[in-house]
Amino acid sequence: MGFFRKETGPSREDEPTERVEEPQATRSPAEDVIISSKANDKFYFWTRPGTTKEEKKLVQKLDLAILTFCCLTFFAKDLDRNNINNAYVSGMKEDLGLYGNELNWMVTWFQVGYIVGQIPSQILLTKISPRWYLPAAEFLWAFFVLFLYKCENAQQIYALRFCVGFVEAASWPGLHFMGKSQLPLKSTHIGTWYRNHEINKRSGIFTASGIAATMFSGYIQAGIYQTIDGHLGIRGWRWLFIIDFLITCPMVIIGLIIIPNPLYEKGTWWMTEKERQMCMKRLEADNRQPLGHFDKSLFKRVLGRWHFWILCTWFSLMYFVYQAPTTSTMALWLKAEKYSVPDVNNLPTVYSAISIVFMVVSGAYNDWRGSQVESVILICMTQIVSEAMLVAWNLGKPAHFFAFYIAGTIQSLFPIIVSWTHRVCSRDAEERAIVIGALNSIGLAQGTWWNQVFVPTVEAPRFYRGYRAGLAASLALSAWLPVVMWFTRRQEKQEKNDTISSQVIEGSEHDTEEGRASLEKRRAAANLTEQDKANEAGIVM
């Protein structure tokens, strides 16, 4: 039915009814685990029809623990990312005399720190359990954010933004893949704990939590400006970073309590051993392999397959489109149009609201259909229309609002590409870990120079080059989808052929064994007949 059509195996009703019972003492929890495998065309939003009560209860636990923590910490991170933009249009620019491209450099220094911190954070994640490392990084990150309220010039902000990005580099790999070189899978993210038909909507909710932070950042800054601006001698835009720090502090405690131990190492207090075994069986049902050893062959596998090159190019094109229009460029346009400070902070939140609604709805639809293609096509179409309208520019304010708002659908492509990567790399967990980590790093690196070259602050609000470059990137993004589809379908066809070949081999081996057993039975029967005849004749053989 969908692009990623799921092959269904035989139902449990077709299985033989005869079973060899083992002694109760030797039965392990894994033997009692039943994983639903029945595909159903009936639409569902959250739980696929046919799921057992035990599996539903497990998924609810995963949602309450893992998905909740991922969303909360991602919310805090994106709150800070957008706070710098809201602070800039709410008094920081005038207070610190920032009349050049300082805002671009604040974003750039954050991204440089984020990129530089990738390798050190990955190394630390191989030495320290994520259960302890992530809360520690959260704590350090919160203090760097707090110190921003004391900055008196752009150079101090640059330094702290670099530190914030450096520490935040632990967040993406920490929430996606954390593996020790000698140990299996270490992760707290949905790619590890959820099945393929559950990933899209949860990836969407995970990403939507960050988008929600964009909305709340605007609401918080607008509220601060109207209520406590100047309270205790502190300007409203400075209060924004203090409140961000206060919001982040509880995440440290929540992380210490909720983050699970690595799945294949030991259990977690909120999960029974049977549920842990069920988690592993669920991954096996989707042919999801745990992380093994990182050796020299890994680089050959990563660079020798299409996943790294095609998917990273796809992600980079999305990042190019994402640079403009955004809530930041819309806020600069509103400021140039002399809107009030509350309106400058509040009106762009509609962009984020559209992103969230489209992300959740498309995620549920994609999980049900087993395909993301329709959603990607719609996203590309809205981006082309949005960029084209902003290139034309002189269309009036209603057209500008429409163009900015529908551009919010681009953020729905983030979880789609990550989910797509989980699917096509599911048979090689080490490659999957590298490719997913590379998506964000390479995409962010591409967006860093793109933002400086095509979307400099001094060209606001029209961004003559930025929107034209965005239109070109939107067209390229649309053209790249057939490329991704062709490689994916070729891989699926090859995997299907391999599965059929292995089944034929297994069947022939089974037939051979049955033939040998039958031959032995005939020989035994023949020997028995000869023995009976000899006994009748009184001959001892």
Side-chain angles (χ1 to χ4, degrees), residues 369-519:
R369 282 280 292 169
S371 170
Q372 298 106 325
V373 175
E374 295 94 334
S375 297
V376 176
I377 293 174
L378 183 57
I379 291 169
C380 291
M381 290 175 61
T382 57
Q383 297 309 305
I384 292 173
V385 172
S386 173
E387 299 282 3
M389 293 178 69
L390 291 171
V391 167
W393 192 253
N394 296 318
L395 301 175
K397 288 184 180 181
H400 284 165
F401 277 108
F402 178 78
F404 278 117
Y405 288 156
I406 66 171
T409 58
I410 187 61
Q411 299 192 75
S412 301
L413 196 53
F414 280 79
I416 288 176
I417 295 179
V418 172
S419 299
W420 200 303
T421 305
H422 277 296
R423 289 175 181 270
V424 298
C425 298
S426 62
R427 297 196 176 190
D428 191 333
E430 294 85 2
E431 181 202 17
R432 180 160 46 104
I434 297 298
V435 173
I436 288 180
L439 289 179
N440 195 53
S441 298
I442 295 176
L444 191 61
Q446 300 284 18
T448 299
W449 69 262
W450 183 278
N451 188 56
Q452 284 287 347
V453 173
F454 294 108
V455 198
T457 308
V458 292
E459 294 187 7
R462 184 165 184 176
F463 294 108
Y464 184 88
R465 292 181 298 158
Y467 293 136
R468 280 164 174 74
L471 177 58
S474 298
L475 295 171
L477 182 67
S478 304
W480 198 250
L481 176 60
V483 177
V484 179
M485 292 172 61
W486 184 85
F487 277 98
T488 304
R489 283 174 172 166
R490 187 185 68 169
Q491 175 181 315
E492 287 181 334
K493 184 178 180 180
Q494 181 62 45
E495 290 176 351
K496 185 177 181 179
N497 292 336
D498 292 343
T499 301
I500 294 174
S501 300
S502 63
Q503 290 175 348
V504 170
I505 294 173
E506 290 175 359
S508 61
E509 291 177 350
H510 179 69
D511 292 341
T512 303
E513 291 177 358
E514 285 188 343
R516 290 175 180 173
S518 177
L519 180 61

